[in-house]
Structures are given as structure tokens and as C-alpha cells.
Amino acid sequence: MPQQSPLDVPEGDPFGPHNLPYGVFSTAGEDRRRIGVRIGGHVLDAGAAAAALGSPYAGLLGQSSLNPLLAAGRTAWRDVRRALTAWVTDPGHRPTVEPHLLPLDEVTLHLPYEVADYVDFYASEHHATNVGRIFRPDGDALTPNWKHLPIGYHGRSGTIVVSGTDVVRPCGQRKAPADPAPVFGPSVKLDIEAEVGFVVGTPSELGRPVALGEFEDHVFGLFLLNDWSARDIQAWEYVPLGPFLGKSFATSVSAWVTPLEALDAARVNPPARDFPLLPYLDDAAADRPGGFDLHITVSINGTEVAQPPFASMYWTAAQQLAHMTVNGASLRTGDVYGSGTVSGPETGQRGSLLELTWNGRDALELADGKRTFLEDGDTVTLTAWAPGASGTRVGLGEVTGRIVGSR
């Protein structure tokens, strides 16, 4: 019986030819980094395959980073994706393509793009309401501006790390309300934030805002993101200027970027808005829905603790892009922005331990004991899928990180 080809991906595999996310990998004994495309349990050396097939895209795909492809623009993204789809589905290409497939467990995955800037948002009404109720139990859960603009902050791009990178417990100042003075030491309220990240491809001109309808001209794709948070450090430092050391120590991202085009069937309308939006944010007449129906699962040490639904996000990625450029701020290739914590209306849909344990009041039951916040040695994993065409599922590459003690 002939050996089955790696291109014969089982029906129902979320990483079939309908998906084809991009990453960057290297192999044992060779430091050279290459662009790869995931197909089932294998990665295709895209540059080598392009060269072997005499493709005009060999130059873009033969790089050590996705940045040149990101910068090439939407027409190139579409054409390259069509070519890759043909390479992995057309039987006539198999003899040329198959030698350039490697098992996933035989490669090392790297951060697939060079990060330029990083912005993190606060776009889930359920998350923002929970946080408001925790910290302002006698006041309004949402701040007055929340439903008029996507709230965000500028993060630290240099500490974005690829999935699988250990996260060192951060140190900093913290002060509980009853403490007479702040103390310095490792965070004792280390948390997760289950998010979705977006990476910019096509840059924009300084001084020219990017309109809502230009989202797909500038954003290449999306991925899972865990914006780790030291709640105790953050609570002491964030008034009046917002997150700083409590957020800047590490942000973990998936090694795989899913092109927006792979998620056409997952587009959904965002929740109904309670207030009229200013024209630059008003998407009522948009050509297509601005939300994405992504189903996220959060696990700690192998125990599933939450299933946050991305479809419930109040502010869309297109609105976030429009807002962060409306003042004329320019986009650069490799800019990353996070959705903010994804939480749904149910207890089991909350995307942070702050919410799941109600700031430590209600411990979670894991297979290896109770948790309120993360302990050294804990491993957090985010996975997700989205509906694809004809009943398929589109898998998003996981993002995982293990907490290690402070240095």
C-alpha cells in the first residue's frame, strides 16, 4: 500500500487547505529561519516550494520574516494565498511540493514578524463591566467614555514573545489599600488576558487617518494573544496614566498568523450599540460585518477554565484601527494590536483570572489544586477555532506560556 501523503489532510482537520496560516521556523542543526505554511500536522517550507515551482513569489516567501510579505499589500496577499492553495491541492504539484514538507514536531517556531508598535485595547463590554464592578462596586461599572470610543494604551513591543517562551514573574511596587506604604517584590496576583491580536501589513502615511473601510487594506491577519498582567503592580501604578510595569513584562503571541481571507465565513455583526457613534467609528453601513466568530478555550495546566466568545466584542478590529489612527498616527509594517480581554456574559466565558476568581475571592479548582492567580510552574494555553466554509473549522495556532520564578 502506498504511503499516505502529508497533503492528504483528514477531513475535518482545522488546519486543512482552507486555512493555511503563516509562520517562521528553523530546523535542528540549522539556524536559518524560513517562512512556513501549516498544513495538517506539517509545515511547508514555502520559499523552497516556491523556488522549486518557479513561482514569481519565491522572493517574498524565501525570507526569514513575514515582514516583506506583509508590506507587499493586499493584492500580493491574495495572490500568494491562491498560489499556496493550488500547491497543496493540485495533484500535479505533489512531486515538487512534498519534499518540502516537514513534521511540526521536527521544527522550531519563531516570532513570525518583526514587531513595530504595540497597542492593546479594552473592547469587551462584559470584561469592562466585570472589572468595573470589582474595583468600583459603588459606582458605575463602565466609565463615561467606554461606549463612545475604543479605549486602549500603548504597550511595549520589545517584550512580545512567541508561544512557548517562558514568562518570568515580574517584580515591582505593590500596595494594598490597607498597607501603610508600598513594598517591592514579585507580583502575587499574576494573571492572564485571553485576547486576539492583529498584525498590520501595509503602512500608512503620517497625518492621514485610516478609515473603517480600509481595514482589510492594512491588516494582514490575526492570531491568539495572551497579554499577561500583574494585577497588584498595575493597581498601584495605573492612576493617573494607566498600565505600565504591570503589563510590559511579557505579551505572548501565537507562532501562526491566520490570514483574514481564511476567515470570510466567520464574519459576524458586533453587538447592538447603545449610543450613536461618531462618523469615523460608525459601521452601520459597512460592506461586511466587522466581528469575527472565534471560539476561544483557556486552559491552565491542562484543565479547561473558560471559553471566551470573540463574537461578543463590542468594538471591532476595524473600529480599533480607525480610532488609533484618527489623530494622524501612522501605521508601520509589523504593528500589532490586541483586542483586549475577551469575556462573555457567562461565568465560564471570562478571559481573565481577575474575573474568574472575582479578584481572588473564588478559587478555581484545577486538577492539581486550587488557584486564584498564577503560581510558578503553571502553564497557560489558549486555543481557538472559527467556522469556515461548508461546515469546516478554521483553527488558530495556540499560544502557551509557563510561569517561572523571578530572577
Side-chain angles (χ1 to χ4, degrees), residues 99-351:
H100 303 293
L101 289 161
L102 298 93
L104 274 173
D105 58 7
E106 294 183 8
V107 304
T108 299
L109 299 174
H110 304 278
L111 189 64
Y113 39 78
E114 298 167 20
V115 181
D117 287 313
Y118 172 48
V119 172
D120 191 44
F121 283 95
Y122 190 51
S124 164
E125 181 178 0
H126 303 293
H127 171 68
T129 298
N130 287 334
V131 171
R133 287 172 177 165
I134 289 171
F135 292 115
R136 296 184 300 274
D138 299 323
D140 293 334
L142 296 178
T143 53
N145 60 349
W146 200 92
K147 289 199 172 180
H148 295 277
L149 58 86
I151 295 173
Y153 73 91
H154 199 90
R156 186 175 177 87
S157 59
T159 54
I160 292 181
V161 297
V162 73
S163 175
T165 304
D166 285 345
V167 175
V168 178
R169 182 177 296 274
C171 289
Q173 289 191 30
R174 62 181 190 270
K175 179 185 178 298
D179 292 344
V183 297
F184 177 86
S187 170
V188 296
K189 286 189 173 182
L190 188 55
D191 199 357
I192 65 167
E193 290 192 351
E195 302 191 23
V196 174
F198 297 83
V199 63
V200 170
T202 311
S204 66
E205 179 185 352
L206 182 65
R208 187 188 71 80
V210 175
L212 273 174
E214 298 177 86
F215 168 69
E216 292 176 63
D217 293 329
H218 290 276
V219 173
F220 176 78
L222 59 75
F223 47 88
L224 290 174
L225 180 152
N226 184 353
D227 199 29
W228 308 88
S229 183
R231 300 294 182 187
D232 46 352
I233 296 173
Q234 183 179 356
W236 172 236
E237 72 179 1
Y238 85 114
V239 178
L241 293 183
F244 189 45
L245 299 182
K247 300 289 295 180
S248 63
F249 57 96
T251 299
S252 296
V253 299
S254 172
W256 299 104
V257 180
T258 302
L260 293 185
E261 193 174 351
L263 295 164
D264 282 346
R267 301 295 284 262
V268 293
N269 288 314
R273 276 54 184 270
D274 299 323
F275 297 92
L277 298 178
L278 291 170
Y280 79 97
L281 292 172
D282 188 356
D283 58 356
D287 293 337
R288 61 193 311 192
F292 292 91
D293 185 17
L294 311 179
H295 301 253
I296 303 170
T297 297
V298 181
S299 298
I300 301 176
N301 301 337
T303 299
E304 182 180 309
V305 298
Q307 292 187 324
F310 193 69
S312 68
M313 299 295 275
Y314 192 89
W315 295 104
T316 70
Q319 289 171 319
Q320 291 167 341
L321 189 76
H323 183 66
M324 72 182 185
T325 61
V326 74
N327 66 344
S330 59
L331 298 175
R332 294 192 291 172
T333 298
D335 279 355
V336 168
Y337 65 100
S339 64
T341 304
V342 183
S343 291
E346 306 298 329
T347 301
Q349 296 177 329
R350 296 170 178 172

